[in-house]
Amino acid sequence: MDILLRLLFNRAFQNIHGITPTAAKSMGSILQAYPSIQFSIKISGGSSMAYHIAEKQPLRIVGIRIPMVEDTEENLRAVPDFWKSTVQGNQLWKIYRLSNQEPGGILELVYYLKRRPL
């Protein structure tokens, strides 16, 4: 195992510096040091956005519900299958026809509520 680690280190060293560790010691070569990588995120205000307040008709929400579970991987398998069967059937068209206000269209909402014992 020790030999394998030395070989891996020597190969990585040579890939970065262009010479082997032994050559670097014997020749007194100058090597490049790479500072640590640092990430910085800066969030600042954007530009102003024009808006207005409008009175709208009451909103009706309709949809199809499938149960979600705590296992995210299982949900990631279930949701695409759900949409596939919904698109192939006529349920999606029925829901789309109920959309009678702006903005029109259909929205997917995935929500999991972990039930707590009473």
Side-chain angles (χ1 to χ4, degrees), residues 3 16-17 24 46 51 64 74 79-80 83 87 102-103 107 110 113:
I3 295 171
I16 291 174
H17 299 291
Y51 69 95
I64 306 166
E74 188 175 330
V79 171
W83 276 109
V87 168
E102 291 296 326
L107 174 69
V110 177
L113 175 64

Side-chain angles (χ1 to χ4, degrees), residues 24-81:
K25 283 184 204 175
S26 65
M27 295 171 34
S29 300
I30 297 175
L31 304 173
Q32 293 290 329
Y34 295 94
S36 61
I37 297 173
Q38 297 178 357
F39 293 94
S40 175
I41 297 174
K42 180 180 178 184
I43 300 173
S44 61
S47 58
S48 64
M49 182 174 70
Y51 69 95
H52 70 277
I53 298 173
E55 191 169 325
K56 295 287 202 171
Q57 297 287 330
L59 178 66
R60 175 177 59 172
I61 299 175
V62 297
I64 306 166
R65 179 173 33 177
I66 61 169
M68 296 282 105
V69 295
E70 200 166 344
D71 181 10
T72 304
E73 294 296 322
E74 188 175 330
N75 292 334
L76 289 174
R77 287 187 296 273
V79 171
D81 291 341

Side-chain angles (χ1 to χ4, degrees), residues 64 86-87 89-99 106:
I64 306 166
T86 302
V87 168
N90 63 357
Q91 294 171 315
L92 188 64
W93 177 246
K94 287 179 181 178
I95 291 173
Y96 186 75
R97 287 194 330 226
L98 293 171
S99 178
I106 294 177

